[in-house]
Amino acid sequence: SRINSMRSKNIKFDLIKGEVASNKVQEIKNWLKNNKKEFTSYIYFTGQEEDQNEAKAFLIKAFFISLFLITIILIATFDNFYFCFVILSAIIFSTIGVMIGLLITEKPFGIVMSGIGVISLAGIVVNNNIVLLDTYKELRNKGERVKEAIIRTGVQRLRPVMLTTLTTFFGLIPMAIGLNINFLDFEINFGSPSSQWWIQLSNAIVFGVMFSFILTLIITPCLILIGEKRS
């Protein structure tokens, strides 16, 4: 009866202090899904949920625009659609690494900061594959066989690829663990309010870079070999 009396009115409900907005929104959505026949009113989520939806739409557009620009540059550089696909596969691997990292650290996927981290990864993780494929093309132009060229590429580029990944990893570790250094008072703090904002961003980049590094040394050579066999 209470629901029927509210159908013709616009009623607003605020969140109780101390509750997590995203959890309550998901709880309401699940309730609506299970009670479609009994509840016919329309619920519109505002505030933080509305801001997150707007940020989500913007970041999705930015992600696909970045992929498009990276693809254009790769096609113009390598003049090979398959090599372009191999390089872009690193972005998929890095995204999987981000999700695994969130599960390990038991952190939620923040629409804004984690989304920006995934977009940043799109420009970071492709570097390893670009280095590998460029070296492979040079060896093939010198007359190396496919398998020998792939193995030699992995050997020659293991050190620079590993150093690039490790510098990114250790450079972001302080931010990922919430380390804050106050040089004026000579204090070291963990989990300060100023560092909480960047933890999701740094965690996304750290786990994405490390996961893509490991798989790049395994998956990329395999994809090159598959492509050469088919051609």
Side-chain angles (χ1 to χ4, degrees), residues 100-124:
I100 294 176
L102 293 177
L103 292 176
I104 294 175
T105 58
E106 297 181 352
K107 298 289 185 180
F109 184 88
I111 297 298
V112 178
M113 301 309 292
S114 297
I116 295 175
V118 172
I119 295 175
S120 302
L121 282 173
I124 296 175

PDB file of all heavy atoms in Angstrom, residues 100-124:
ATOM      1  N   ILE A 100      42.841  -9.257 -11.970  1.00  0.00           N
ATOM      2  CA  ILE A 100      43.465 -10.195 -11.028  1.00  0.00           C
ATOM      3  C   ILE A 100      44.062  -9.441  -9.840  1.00  0.00           C
ATOM      4  O   ILE A 100      43.965  -9.872  -8.686  1.00  0.00           O
ATOM      5  CB  ILE A 100      44.539 -11.037 -11.742  1.00  0.00           C
ATOM      6  CG1 ILE A 100      43.881 -11.949 -12.778  1.00  0.00           C
ATOM      7  CG2 ILE A 100      45.333 -11.865 -10.739  1.00  0.00           C
ATOM      8  CD1 ILE A 100      44.865 -12.751 -13.600  1.00  0.00           C
ATOM      9  N   GLY A 101      44.687  -8.295 -10.136  1.00  0.00           N
ATOM     10  CA  GLY A 101      45.253  -7.487  -9.062  1.00  0.00           C
ATOM     11  C   GLY A 101      44.205  -6.992  -8.089  1.00  0.00           C
ATOM     12  O   GLY A 101      44.426  -6.965  -6.869  1.00  0.00           O
ATOM     13  N   LEU A 102      43.045  -6.605  -8.599  1.00  0.00           N
ATOM     14  CA  LEU A 102      41.965  -6.153  -7.723  1.00  0.00           C
ATOM     15  C   LEU A 102      41.443  -7.290  -6.851  1.00  0.00           C
ATOM     16  O   LEU A 102      41.082  -7.087  -5.683  1.00  0.00           O
ATOM     17  CB  LEU A 102      40.828  -5.568  -8.564  1.00  0.00           C
ATOM     18  CG  LEU A 102      41.136  -4.269  -9.319  1.00  0.00           C
ATOM     19  CD1 LEU A 102      39.945  -3.859 -10.172  1.00  0.00           C
ATOM     20  CD2 LEU A 102      41.496  -3.151  -8.351  1.00  0.00           C
ATOM     21  N   LEU A 103      41.412  -8.502  -7.416  1.00  0.00           N
ATOM     22  CA  LEU A 103      40.986  -9.646  -6.622  1.00  0.00           C
ATOM     23  C   LEU A 103      42.005  -9.968  -5.532  1.00  0.00           C
ATOM     24  O   LEU A 103      41.625 -10.329  -4.410  1.00  0.00           O
ATOM     25  CB  LEU A 103      40.794 -10.866  -7.535  1.00  0.00           C
ATOM     26  CG  LEU A 103      39.622 -10.792  -8.524  1.00  0.00           C
ATOM     27  CD1 LEU A 103      39.628 -12.016  -9.429  1.00  0.00           C
ATOM     28  CD2 LEU A 103      38.300 -10.691  -7.791  1.00  0.00           C
ATOM     29  N   ILE A 104      43.293  -9.843  -5.864  1.00  0.00           N
ATOM     30  CA  ILE A 104      44.330 -10.148  -4.881  1.00  0.00           C
ATOM     31  C   ILE A 104      44.316  -9.138  -3.734  1.00  0.00           C
ATOM     32  O   ILE A 104      44.392  -9.497  -2.556  1.00  0.00           O
ATOM     33  CB  ILE A 104      45.712 -10.182  -5.556  1.00  0.00           C
ATOM     34  CG1 ILE A 104      45.786 -11.354  -6.548  1.00  0.00           C
ATOM     35  CG2 ILE A 104      46.830 -10.294  -4.510  1.00  0.00           C
ATOM     36  CD1 ILE A 104      47.070 -11.389  -7.347  1.00  0.00           C
ATOM     37  N   THR A 105      44.232  -7.871  -4.077  1.00  0.00           N
ATOM     38  CA  THR A 105      44.242  -6.816  -3.056  1.00  0.00           C
ATOM     39  C   THR A 105      42.876  -6.565  -2.438  1.00  0.00           C
ATOM     40  O   THR A 105      42.769  -5.772  -1.497  1.00  0.00           O
ATOM     41  CB  THR A 105      44.758  -5.504  -3.670  1.00  0.00           C
ATOM     42  OG1 THR A 105      43.924  -5.137  -4.797  1.00  0.00           O
ATOM     43  CG2 THR A 105      46.184  -5.675  -4.166  1.00  0.00           C
ATOM     44  N   GLU A 106      41.839  -7.234  -2.986  1.00  0.00           N
ATOM     45  CA  GLU A 106      40.467  -7.073  -2.486  1.00  0.00           C
ATOM     46  C   GLU A 106      40.026  -5.615  -2.534  1.00  0.00           C
ATOM     47  O   GLU A 106      39.398  -5.100  -1.607  1.00  0.00           O
ATOM     48  CB  GLU A 106      40.343  -7.627  -1.064  1.00  0.00           C
ATOM     49  CG  GLU A 106      40.614  -9.123  -0.964  1.00  0.00           C
ATOM     50  CD  GLU A 106      40.451  -9.643   0.449  1.00  0.00           C
ATOM     51  OE1 GLU A 106      40.274  -8.807   1.365  1.00  0.00           O
ATOM     52  OE2 GLU A 106      40.490 -10.871   0.639  1.00  0.00           O
ATOM     53  N   LYS A 107      40.351  -4.955  -3.639  1.00  0.00           N
ATOM     54  CA  LYS A 107      39.972  -3.570  -3.844  1.00  0.00           C
ATOM     55  C   LYS A 107      38.856  -3.496  -4.885  1.00  0.00           C
ATOM     56  O   LYS A 107      38.809  -4.294  -5.820  1.00  0.00           O
ATOM     57  CB  LYS A 107      41.166  -2.747  -4.340  1.00  0.00           C
ATOM     58  CG  LYS A 107      42.343  -2.695  -3.370  1.00  0.00           C
ATOM     59  CD  LYS A 107      42.026  -1.853  -2.152  1.00  0.00           C
ATOM     60  CE  LYS A 107      43.247  -1.697  -1.260  1.00  0.00           C
ATOM     61  NZ  LYS A 107      42.965  -0.886  -0.064  1.00  0.00           N
ATOM     62  N   PRO A 108      37.932  -2.545  -4.750  1.00  0.00           N
ATOM     63  CA  PRO A 108      36.879  -2.382  -5.762  1.00  0.00           C
ATOM     64  C   PRO A 108      37.426  -1.707  -7.001  1.00  0.00           C
ATOM     65  O   PRO A 108      38.457  -1.027  -6.977  1.00  0.00           O
ATOM     66  CB  PRO A 108      35.854  -1.484  -5.049  1.00  0.00           C
ATOM     67  CG  PRO A 108      36.674  -0.691  -4.081  1.00  0.00           C
ATOM     68  CD  PRO A 108      37.779  -1.603  -3.619  1.00  0.00           C
ATOM     69  N   PHE A 109      36.724  -1.900  -8.114  1.00  0.00           N
ATOM     70  CA  PHE A 109      37.109  -1.253  -9.369  1.00  0.00           C
ATOM     71  C   PHE A 109      36.491   0.137  -9.388  1.00  0.00           C
ATOM     72  O   PHE A 109      35.301   0.300  -9.617  1.00  0.00           O
ATOM     73  CB  PHE A 109      36.616  -2.074 -10.570  1.00  0.00           C
ATOM     74  CG  PHE A 109      37.052  -1.506 -11.894  1.00  0.00           C
ATOM     75  CD1 PHE A 109      38.268  -1.867 -12.448  1.00  0.00           C
ATOM     76  CD2 PHE A 109      36.246  -0.615 -12.586  1.00  0.00           C
ATOM     77  CE1 PHE A 109      38.672  -1.358 -13.667  1.00  0.00           C
ATOM     78  CE2 PHE A 109      36.640  -0.094 -13.806  1.00  0.00           C
ATOM     79  CZ  PHE A 109      37.850  -0.466 -14.341  1.00  0.00           C
ATOM     80  N   GLY A 110      37.322   1.146  -9.128  1.00  0.00           N
ATOM     81  CA  GLY A 110      36.845   2.520  -9.158  1.00  0.00           C
ATOM     82  C   GLY A 110      36.665   3.000 -10.588  1.00  0.00           C
ATOM     83  O   GLY A 110      37.598   2.895 -11.399  1.00  0.00           O
ATOM     84  N   ILE A 111      35.472   3.494 -10.902  1.00  0.00           N
ATOM     85  CA  ILE A 111      35.178   3.882 -12.272  1.00  0.00           C
ATOM     86  C   ILE A 111      36.164   4.930 -12.772  1.00  0.00           C
ATOM     87  O   ILE A 111      36.689   4.837 -13.889  1.00  0.00           O
ATOM     88  CB  ILE A 111      33.738   4.424 -12.384  1.00  0.00           C
ATOM     89  CG1 ILE A 111      32.728   3.330 -12.027  1.00  0.00           C
ATOM     90  CG2 ILE A 111      33.469   4.941 -13.787  1.00  0.00           C
ATOM     91  CD1 ILE A 111      32.768   2.142 -12.948  1.00  0.00           C
ATOM     92  N   VAL A 112      36.473   5.917 -11.949  1.00  0.00           N
ATOM     93  CA  VAL A 112      37.307   7.029 -12.396  1.00  0.00           C
ATOM     94  C   VAL A 112      38.781   6.644 -12.405  1.00  0.00           C
ATOM     95  O   VAL A 112      39.426   6.593 -13.460  1.00  0.00           O
ATOM     96  CB  VAL A 112      37.075   8.277 -11.513  1.00  0.00           C
ATOM     97  CG1 VAL A 112      37.983   9.415 -11.960  1.00  0.00           C
ATOM     98  CG2 VAL A 112      35.615   8.708 -11.571  1.00  0.00           C
ATOM     99  N   MET A 113      39.347   6.352 -11.234  1.00  0.00           N
ATOM    100  CA  MET A 113      40.789   6.147 -11.134  1.00  0.00           C
ATOM    101  C   MET A 113      41.232   4.829 -11.776  1.00  0.00           C
ATOM    102  O   MET A 113      42.245   4.794 -12.482  1.00  0.00           O
ATOM    103  CB  MET A 113      41.226   6.204  -9.670  1.00  0.00           C
ATOM    104  CG  MET A 113      40.905   7.519  -8.987  1.00  0.00           C
ATOM    105  SD  MET A 113      41.480   8.963  -9.911  1.00  0.00           S
ATOM    106  CE  MET A 113      43.253   8.789  -9.778  1.00  0.00           C
ATOM    107  N   SER A 114      40.511   3.747 -11.532  1.00  0.00           N
ATOM    108  CA  SER A 114      40.873   2.478 -12.184  1.00  0.00           C
ATOM    109  C   SER A 114      40.677   2.575 -13.693  1.00  0.00           C
ATOM    110  O   SER A 114      41.458   2.006 -14.467  1.00  0.00           O
ATOM    111  CB  SER A 114      40.035   1.332 -11.612  1.00  0.00           C
ATOM    112  OG  SER A 114      40.290   1.152 -10.239  1.00  0.00           O
ATOM    113  N   GLY A 115      39.638   3.286 -14.109  1.00  0.00           N
ATOM    114  CA  GLY A 115      39.422   3.474 -15.546  1.00  0.00           C
ATOM    115  C   GLY A 115      40.551   4.258 -16.195  1.00  0.00           C
ATOM    116  O   GLY A 115      41.020   3.924 -17.292  1.00  0.00           O
ATOM    117  N   ILE A 116      41.022   5.307 -15.516  1.00  0.00           N
ATOM    118  CA  ILE A 116      42.154   6.067 -16.039  1.00  0.00           C
ATOM    119  C   ILE A 116      43.404   5.194 -16.076  1.00  0.00           C
ATOM    120  O   ILE A 116      44.227   5.284 -17.000  1.00  0.00           O
ATOM    121  CB  ILE A 116      42.392   7.323 -15.182  1.00  0.00           C
ATOM    122  CG1 ILE A 116      41.203   8.279 -15.296  1.00  0.00           C
ATOM    123  CG2 ILE A 116      43.679   8.039 -15.593  1.00  0.00           C
ATOM    124  CD1 ILE A 116      41.293   9.487 -14.399  1.00  0.00           C
ATOM    125  N   GLY A 117      43.559   4.318 -15.076  1.00  0.00           N
ATOM    126  CA  GLY A 117      44.697   3.409 -15.071  1.00  0.00           C
ATOM    127  C   GLY A 117      44.682   2.465 -16.254  1.00  0.00           C
ATOM    128  O   GLY A 117      45.726   2.203 -16.866  1.00  0.00           O
ATOM    129  N   VAL A 118      43.508   1.932 -16.610  1.00  0.00           N
ATOM    130  CA  VAL A 118      43.397   1.035 -17.762  1.00  0.00           C
ATOM    131  C   VAL A 118      43.725   1.775 -19.057  1.00  0.00           C
ATOM    132  O   VAL A 118      44.410   1.251 -19.940  1.00  0.00           O
ATOM    133  CB  VAL A 118      41.981   0.424 -17.821  1.00  0.00           C
ATOM    134  CG1 VAL A 118      41.784  -0.359 -19.121  1.00  0.00           C
ATOM    135  CG2 VAL A 118      41.744  -0.485 -16.627  1.00  0.00           C
ATOM    136  N   ILE A 119      43.248   3.014 -19.174  1.00  0.00           N
ATOM    137  CA  ILE A 119      43.556   3.811 -20.368  1.00  0.00           C
ATOM    138  C   ILE A 119      45.049   4.107 -20.446  1.00  0.00           C
ATOM    139  O   ILE A 119      45.653   4.063 -21.528  1.00  0.00           O
ATOM    140  CB  ILE A 119      42.734   5.117 -20.354  1.00  0.00           C
ATOM    141  CG1 ILE A 119      41.242   4.803 -20.466  1.00  0.00           C
ATOM    142  CG2 ILE A 119      43.161   6.037 -21.500  1.00  0.00           C
ATOM    143  CD1 ILE A 119      40.353   6.016 -20.330  1.00  0.00           C
ATOM    144  N   SER A 120      45.670   4.399 -19.318  1.00  0.00           N
ATOM    145  CA  SER A 120      47.112   4.639 -19.302  1.00  0.00           C
ATOM    146  C   SER A 120      47.883   3.394 -19.715  1.00  0.00           C
ATOM    147  O   SER A 120      48.908   3.485 -20.401  1.00  0.00           O
ATOM    148  CB  SER A 120      47.559   5.083 -17.907  1.00  0.00           C
ATOM    149  OG  SER A 120      46.873   6.248 -17.498  1.00  0.00           O
ATOM    150  N   LEU A 121      47.400   2.228 -19.303  1.00  0.00           N
ATOM    151  CA  LEU A 121      48.055   0.969 -19.667  1.00  0.00           C
ATOM    152  C   LEU A 121      48.063   0.755 -21.173  1.00  0.00           C
ATOM    153  O   LEU A 121      48.993   0.147 -21.720  1.00  0.00           O
ATOM    154  CB  LEU A 121      47.352  -0.204 -18.987  1.00  0.00           C
ATOM    155  CG  LEU A 121      47.668  -0.431 -17.507  1.00  0.00           C
ATOM    156  CD1 LEU A 121      46.768  -1.511 -16.945  1.00  0.00           C
ATOM    157  CD2 LEU A 121      49.119  -0.823 -17.341  1.00  0.00           C
ATOM    158  N   ALA A 122      47.023   1.248 -21.845  1.00  0.00           N
ATOM    159  CA  ALA A 122      46.947   1.074 -23.298  1.00  0.00           C
ATOM    160  C   ALA A 122      48.149   1.688 -23.996  1.00  0.00           C
ATOM    161  O   ALA A 122      48.585   1.196 -25.043  1.00  0.00           O
ATOM    162  CB  ALA A 122      45.655   1.696 -23.835  1.00  0.00           C
ATOM    163  N   GLY A 123      48.706   2.741 -23.415  1.00  0.00           N
ATOM    164  CA  GLY A 123      49.874   3.357 -24.019  1.00  0.00           C
ATOM    165  C   GLY A 123      51.189   2.857 -23.467  1.00  0.00           C
ATOM    166  O   GLY A 123      52.243   3.087 -24.060  1.00  0.00           O
ATOM    167  N   ILE A 124      51.148   2.157 -22.330  1.00  0.00           N
ATOM    168  CA  ILE A 124      52.378   1.688 -21.688  1.00  0.00           C
ATOM    169  C   ILE A 124      52.753   0.288 -22.147  1.00  0.00           C
ATOM    170  O   ILE A 124      53.891   0.035 -22.558  1.00  0.00           O
ATOM    171  CB  ILE A 124      52.242   1.733 -20.159  1.00  0.00           C
ATOM    172  CG1 ILE A 124      52.065   3.179 -19.674  1.00  0.00           C
ATOM    173  CG2 ILE A 124      53.455   1.102 -19.488  1.00  0.00           C
ATOM    174  CD1 ILE A 124      51.801   3.294 -18.183  1.00  0.00           C
TER     175      ILE A 124
END
